[in-house]
Amino acid sequence: MERYRLKDLVFYFLKLGTWGFGGPVALVGYMHRDLVESKGWLTEEEYKEGLALAQLAPGPLAAQLGIYIGFVHHRFLGATLVGLAFVLPSFFMVVLLGMAYQLYGGLAWMQAVFYGVGAAVIGIIGMSAYKLTIKSISKFELPAIKSKWLLWLFYIVGIAITVITQKEEILLFLACGIGYMFIKAPPQWLKKPAVLPVGIFIGTGFWKYDGKTLQEIGWFFLKAGAFVFGSGLAIVPFLHGGVVKEFGWLNEHQFVDAVAVAMITPGPVVITVGFIGYLVAGFPGACVAALATFLPCYLFTVALAPSFKKIAKNASIKAFVDGITASVIGALVGSVVIIGMRSITDIPTALIGIAAVLSLIYIKKLQEPYIIGIAAIVGLLIKTL
């Protein structure tokens, strides 16, 4: 394996965070191609361990794998610098977009652009939810559904509860995880009671800027970051329930626009939290939202990485994560239904949403940012002609 310096790895992730389009699966693929196959900085085994940890522990997949890769040979300093290098480019991009959105969001041409973009985003998220469903639960085949019937039940409950309550239900996700663990792989401490350690991470605000709002932002996004498993899009139901319904920081159209901004920028999809934070409380809000969202991801990675081989073999932990994941993906589908009912308002938006889905199915090399760009032009043409 080739030797490399920490600054080389940091520079690589700085570039990946700046130019890495395509979502979590694509970003994870780039890391394997570049760091394992081309450069030989990581072994296949090290990469697979990192990918397994990223899937088991809460946190956006690509960001968590990047942090783990930084940790492998350079421990805490490597994990910290790589995480910052990967996230900061897209963070600054969404802050700049937030500034532009506040300046021009009320203008007719900007509203026309997001008329098309909002519809395309619903199609893209819907397709992503479908892919996550067949990847994390099972394919839509009778034998597979029968063997995973309990996960499918959690998935359907997640959809129903989200559509009915129109907010995130963290207790539901925990109940699904614990229930599936008890049924499929009861932990040893059930037979021999012991104290179960639980880490609680509390976010704090930065400099004073409407302290109460910053505190609310910090606590809300900390909870959201702690319950994102596998894909950054899993954070959508949490964000929608809190940002739109509970706190009323954004309206429905602004929320869809925020998701769109995450899709047209490189790096992790979760970085939409920076855009939302900026709209709510300016630059301090963006900083607090981003820090609070990525803090659990970072802490879980550096805490679990040293003993991960042992943890990865624990059937109870795997079952717990499977149960949570099923209900979270169900909540994502429920969010698509809720947001879709507000974004798909007429025949043109319905056609744009359908076209986005068909493009993803039949044009394999067409990435989300291009679909968003085309939808923006179509929206502009519809509203101005």
Side-chain angles (χ1 to χ4, degrees):
M1 186 174 66
E2 290 182 17
R3 289 185 175 275
Y4 67 91
R5 294 167 295 179
L6 177 56
K7 71 175 186 179
D8 297 327
L9 189 65
V10 171
F11 185 63
Y12 168 78
F13 275 96
L14 192 64
K15 289 192 294 182
L16 186 64
T18 305
W19 305 110
F21 287 99
V25 175
L27 292 170
V28 164
Y30 298 150
M31 292 179 209
H32 184 270
R33 179 195 66 193
D34 299 335
L35 301 180
V36 179
E37 295 177 354
S38 300
K39 299 179 184 293
W41 289 354
L42 293 177
T43 64
E44 188 73 35
E45 184 182 0
E46 287 169 337
Y47 175 85
K48 286 181 178 176
E49 283 176 5
L51 188 58
L53 173 60
Q55 290 172 321
L56 271 178
L61 183 69
Q64 196 152 16
L65 178 58
I67 291 169
Y68 181 86
I69 288 171
F71 186 88
V72 169
H73 295 135
H74 295 280
R75 318 312 284 175
F76 296 102
L77 181 62
T80 305
L81 294 179
V82 164
L84 288 171
F86 186 43
V87 171
L88 283 178
S90 53
F91 172 75
F92 287 121
M93 288 180 204
V94 297
V95 167
L96 290 172
L97 286 169
M99 293 168 66
Y101 188 83
Q102 283 197 333
L103 283 171
Y104 304 112
L107 299 183
W109 67 267
M110 178 69 90
Q111 292 174 353
V113 164
F114 279 101
Y115 169 81
V117 167
V121 165
I122 299 303
I124 292 169
I125 301 178
M127 193 64 192
S128 298
Y130 168 76
K131 289 180 180 177
L132 283 171
T133 299
I134 59 175
K135 178 185 175 185
S136 301
I137 304 176
S138 77
K139 293 182 179 179
F140 288 93
E141 297 171 353
L142 193 58
I145 292 172
K146 281 183 177 179
S147 67
K148 301 279 188 177
W149 69 269
L150 190 54
L151 289 179
W152 278 103
L153 177 63
F154 293 158
Y155 173 81
I156 292 167
V157 169
I159 296 174
I161 295 296
T162 303
V163 171
I164 293 167
T165 65
Q166 299 196 11
K167 64 179 182 178
E168 83 284 358
E169 296 292 346
I170 292 177
L171 291 178
L172 168 69
F173 305 142
L174 286 173
C176 290
I178 293 168
Y180 197 68
M181 176 179 69
F182 283 176
I183 293 168
K184 290 294 182 180
Q188 289 298 316
W189 54 264
L190 272 181
K191 301 170 185 176
K192 297 179 181 179
V195 177
L196 184 66
V198 178
I200 301 174
F201 307 114
I202 300 175
T204 57
F206 274 77
W207 60 87
K208 290 184 179 179
Y209 186 92
D210 191 358
K212 184 184 176 184
T213 302
L214 287 182
Q215 189 177 24
E216 288 175 343
I217 289 171
W219 178 237
F220 170 72
F221 283 99
L222 189 74
K223 289 190 294 181
F227 282 87
V228 182
F229 283 84
S231 169
L233 283 174
I235 203 172
V236 169
F238 291 93
L239 297 186
H240 182 264
V243 170
V244 179
K245 295 297 177 184
E246 183 179 352
F247 294 103
W249 288 329
L250 303 183
N251 61 38
E252 293 286 353
H253 289 297
Q254 289 173 323
F255 181 77
V256 175
D257 295 346
V259 177
V261 163
M263 292 182 175
I264 61 174
T265 51
V269 174
V270 174
I271 202 60
T272 187
V273 300
F275 182 84
I276 293 171
Y278 186 87
L279 295 188
V280 176
F283 187 66
C287 292
V288 172
L291 178 68
T293 303
F294 285 97
L295 185 61
C297 165
Y298 173 82
L299 292 177
F300 274 109
T301 302
V302 297
L304 297 177
S307 56
F308 179 65
K309 286 185 179 179
K310 183 179 178 181
I311 294 168
K313 295 176 183 176
N314 189 304
S316 298
I317 290 175
K318 284 184 178 179
F320 176 72
V321 171
D322 286 344
I324 285 184
T325 302
S327 57
V328 167
I329 295 171
L332 175 60
V333 175
S335 292
V336 173
V337 173
I338 295 167
I339 303 167
M341 288 190 296
R342 291 169 173 80
S343 296
I344 307 297
T345 55
D346 50 28
I347 292 174
T349 49
L351 292 175
I352 292 170
I354 293 168
V357 172
L358 294 176
S359 299
L360 290 169
I361 295 172
Y362 294 107
I363 310 175
K364 300 297 183 183
K365 293 184 179 180
L366 187 63
Q367 295 181 345
E368 285 89 343
Y370 297 113
I371 295 174
I372 297 288
I374 294 167
I377 294 169
V378 172
L380 199 58
L381 291 173
I382 291 172
K383 288 294 185 180
T384 54
L385 292 180

